[in-house]
Amino acid sequence: MTATSAAALPASEEVRPAPRRWGAPLWVGALLIVLAFLVLYPLLMLVFGALSDSNPVVDGFGAFRPSAKHFIDVLGNENVHLAFFNALAACGGGTILAVVIGLAFSWIVVRTDTPFKGFIAGASMIPLFVPPLVAGVAWGILGSPKTGLLNTVLKWSGIDFRFDFYSMSGLILVFGIYYAPYVYMFTASALRNMDPSLEEASEVSGASAFTTLFTVTFPLIAPAILAGSLLSFVVMLGIYGVPAALGAPANISVLTTYIFKLTAWSPPLYNTAAAVAILLMVVTAILVWAQQRVLSGKSFATVAGKAFRPRALQLGRWRWFTFSLALLYIFVVVVLPTLALIIAAFRKFLFIKDFDALFDARAYSWVHFNSVFDNPLTMLSIWNTMKVGVLTALVGGALAFAIGYTVNRTQVSGRRSIDLLATLPVAIPGLVVGVAYLWAWIGLPGGLYGTIWILALAFVARFMPDTVKALSTSFMQIHKELEEAAWICGRGMLGTIRTIVLPLARPGVVASMTLLFVLAIRELGSSLFLYTSDTTVMAVLLLDYYEGGNVGKTAAFSLVQTVLLAVLLGITTWLSRDAAQGTAKAG
């Protein structure tokens, strides 16, 4: 009996691994096919569009007339050069301002005894959730040279100065104040992890606190500052909403608005748009590569092995000054634009002859809201936005979980290729994703173009790096021994994932799906080339209202979108917290 059992054991072991040996390659192959479908195929079609003379609408799918004419024309086009220069100037100036604000906030929150630091840290992240077009519209209402609310107040105050946000300086200011949180996230983390003994040594040598700040602290976190700066620049470079709202009235064209103009002309210049999109993507890819090089270096050597706690600088009475600076930033970024939208949304006419007219109750009504909700496209856009958000969250969350688990928890061959393809969209601005999906699907039979699904798939591809990164942290916190124990007990791979990994990673999964849902709701760039009258989403309808010239309707719908986004953020945050508490109790 024993001999028989001993002889049977190797045979059973030889039989069981066979499906597993085939399972891993099939799983990797399936993920690679999905990623190729979402990322590689649209990018190849974008290159095809830039290097051909075919029209996807007229010629359909399969017609290919090779031609480098459009790409060569783009490289020598003065309008492209001007748009490129304007983009560099606006994003470069905005990045400098974002570094100043983000660095100041991180120092105030991490290294000083400023009161209410938790509130400051939380409130400073609010700009990340404001749709760029809403921000641009709000600051246009505030800083219009003729009817701007700020200029009305200045005139009433007798101050001989007027704002003009329809300018390059306006673009730079709005970019800087709204994308400073990216710099804050990097520099605050670096300041928390830095050994304060180096600063103490500087002060023992006789240097003042502020001299130490600029000669020791900031130089030591230079890699984090540079990484945050590059990320801010990359994000600004791909934004369409702010330049459309503030640059277009002043005839300031940047790469994103120029690409949209090319497709809005009659007939649409799809080939030229593809060529300019590739130029934008190449510039973005170079900057993303530079950021990754900075982050992958051994530049954070100030983190010591021993335990330490960053020392809070005692500011004395100055701590109320730093608190006032934080409140001023929150007031400028959150309160002022919200007030501007409320006033413009409820006033019958935005023209305000003097300061007292602001408080004339007869000038306010619900007329713009009534007009917005009388439009059947309004409810359709809200419904479409919800559907796209849910589809993006479910499909993107499931795909990100599969990719994250394969890359972080397995040793299968091919996982590096999966990681590379999943990370590739980080270098592709949203507008470029939209142009690529336009070329990929507009001439292809099957009916995907013009449906909710193409919007959802574009969003999944666009935000895949963010989702996978958010999930990777959760996977790395789960010890491998838990899975090994399940395998010893006889559970297979899928059973282990279902009973061990997924419950423990649930907070990360819910958080990543929440992130996808929010990003999909506020995304404009990827939607511009993929929607139809039946699949209009809120971001596109808001742009239509703005381009229609009715500021009141634009402000009213901006408030509708903002309130809806705030409510959904509250619900999803509650769900994320509930998931985290459920996991903690289970543990």
Side-chain angles (χ1 to χ4, degrees):
M1 191 73 172
T2 306
T4 305
S5 302
L9 184 59
S12 69
E13 288 183 349
E14 287 177 8
V15 172
R16 287 182 181 176
R20 294 183 183 178
R21 284 201 301 269
W22 284 105
L26 287 175
W27 175 252
V28 171
L31 284 179
L32 288 175
I33 290 172
V34 171
L35 290 173
F37 171 81
L38 288 174
V39 180
L40 279 187
Y41 168 63
L43 288 182
L44 289 175
M45 288 301 296
L46 184 68
V47 175
F48 159 82
L51 298 177
S52 74
D53 198 28
S54 306
N55 188 315
V57 178
V58 177
D59 302 326
F61 186 80
F64 180 56
R65 295 190 296 271
S67 174
K69 176 182 179 299
H70 299 286
F71 203 83
I72 294 172
D73 288 347
V74 161
L75 294 178
N77 191 321
E78 291 184 359
N79 291 327
V80 176
H81 298 166
L82 180 61
F84 184 70
F85 174 78
N86 287 339
L88 293 182
C91 299
T95 299
I96 293 172
L97 182 58
V99 169
V100 173
I101 296 173
L103 198 55
F105 260 81
S106 62
W107 179 73
I108 288 173
V109 170
V110 179
R111 287 304 182 93
T112 72
D113 63 342
T114 301
F116 307 108
K117 292 192 293 185
F119 165 76
I120 294 172
S124 66
M125 304 304 288
I126 291 177
L128 290 181
F129 301 101
V130 178
L133 185 58
V134 172
V137 168
W139 282 98
I141 295 169
L142 284 168
S144 171
K146 294 182 180 179
T147 60
L149 298 179
L150 291 177
N151 292 328
T152 301
V153 175
L154 290 174
K155 183 180 178 180
W156 171 77
S157 303
I159 300 174
D160 189 21
F161 176 80
R162 297 295 178 267
F163 289 101
D164 182 7
F165 277 88
Y166 296 137
S167 61
M168 179 61 73
S169 58
L171 276 175
I172 291 173
L173 182 61
V174 173
F175 269 145
I177 61 177
Y178 276 90
Y179 294 97
Y182 287 103
V183 180
Y184 168 82
M185 287 188 293
F186 279 92
T187 54
S189 177
L191 284 172
R192 287 190 186 96
N193 293 329
M194 196 180 75
D195 190 343
S197 62
L198 299 167
E199 297 167 299
E200 293 168 359
S202 172
E203 293 179 12
V204 167
S205 300
S208 66
F210 284 96
T211 300
T212 300
L213 182 68
F214 289 100
T215 59
V216 177
T217 308
F218 288 165
L220 285 174
I221 63 168
I225 297 172
L226 182 57
S229 304
L230 288 171
L231 178 61
S232 299
F233 189 92
V234 166
V235 173
M236 293 177 200
L237 199 61
I239 292 296
Y240 175 81
V242 173
L246 300 179
N251 201 27
I252 298 174
S253 180
V254 297
L255 288 175
T256 50
T257 55
Y258 187 74
I259 291 172
F260 183 67
K261 284 180 183 177
L262 291 172
T263 60
W265 287 344
S266 183
L269 303 178
Y270 292 119
N271 305 88
T272 308
V276 180
I278 287 178
L279 177 64
L280 176 59
M281 185 177 67
V282 168
V283 174
T284 306
I286 292 171
L287 292 170
V288 170
W289 173 82
Q291 188 212 25
Q292 296 299 323
R293 291 282 294 178
V294 170
L295 289 177
S296 63
K298 304 298 183 182
S299 302
F300 295 99
T302 57
V303 179
K306 62 180 181 179
F308 60 83
R309 186 176 182 179
R311 178 176 54 90
L313 181 64
Q314 303 298 315
L315 296 178
R317 288 177 298 177
W318 285 97
R319 68 196 187 106
W320 294 108
F321 173 73
T322 55
F323 178 65
S324 301
L325 286 179
L327 287 184
L328 177 63
Y329 171 76
I330 295 167
F331 177 77
V332 169
V333 176
V334 180
V335 179
L336 265 184
T338 304
L339 283 175
L341 290 174
I342 292 172
I343 291 172
F346 284 97
R347 282 190 69 88
K348 298 175 185 176
F349 303 101
L350 189 57
F351 177 75
I352 304 170
K353 63 178 181 179
D354 53 41
F355 186 73
D356 293 334
L358 275 173
F359 305 97
D360 183 2
R362 295 170 298 176
Y364 294 88
S365 75
W366 291 89
V367 62
H368 297 306
F369 287 95
N370 293 334
S371 178
V372 164
F373 283 101
D374 284 342
N375 184 356
L377 277 178
T378 297
M379 294 310 298
L380 178 64
S381 70
I382 294 174
W383 176 238
N384 286 337
T385 301
M386 294 299 100
K387 287 195 292 185
V388 172
V390 171
L391 282 175
T392 303
L394 293 177
V395 175
L399 180 60
F401 184 89
I403 292 171
Y405 186 84
T406 304
V407 171
N408 294 287
R409 307 297 293 181
T410 72
Q411 298 295 326
V412 296
S413 58
R415 63 193 180 97
R416 297 302 177 193
S417 299
I418 293 173
D419 191 25
L420 177 63
L421 283 180
T423 308
L424 186 61
V426 77
I428 309 173
L431 204 76
V432 177
V433 172
V435 178
Y437 268 67
L438 169 74
W439 269 98
W441 300 109
I442 194 170
L444 193 69
L448 184 61
Y449 186 83
T451 65
I452 288 293
W453 276 101
I454 194 171
L455 289 167
L457 293 176
F459 293 165
V460 169
R462 165 91 167 89
F463 301 118
M464 193 186 311
D466 306 89
T467 322
V468 173
K469 185 177 180 181
L471 267 175
S472 295
T473 304
S474 298
F475 284 129
M476 288 188 288
Q477 291 174 341
I478 302 173
H479 202 285
K480 190 73 175 176
E481 290 177 353
L482 297 172
E483 292 171 274
E484 292 171 352
W487 296 336
I488 291 172
C489 293
R491 289 195 179 274
M493 180 69 72
L494 293 179
T496 302
I497 292 174
R498 181 175 55 84
T499 58
I500 303 295
V501 179
L502 188 56
L504 292 174
R506 187 172 60 173
V509 173
V510 174
S512 63
M513 293 175 73
T514 299
L515 176 66
L516 267 178
F517 186 76
V518 171
L519 291 174
I521 287 175
R522 64 190 293 274
E523 174 66 9
L524 173 63
S526 304
S527 311
L528 285 174
F529 308 98
L530 304 176
Y531 78 97
T532 64
S533 57
D534 293 328
T535 59
T536 301
V537 290
M538 292 183 71
V540 172
L541 185 58
L542 177 61
L543 180 64
D544 287 344
Y545 280 139
Y546 176 77
E547 292 182 337
N550 192 319
V551 179
K553 287 174 68 174
T554 305
F557 196 63
S558 295
L559 282 179
V560 171
Q561 186 181 14
T562 303
V563 170
L564 183 61
L565 188 60
V567 171
L568 292 171
L569 268 173
I571 294 172
T572 51
T573 302
W574 175 77
L575 289 174
S576 299
R577 187 176 303 156
D578 184 61
Q581 290 175 350
T583 303
K585 290 177 181 178

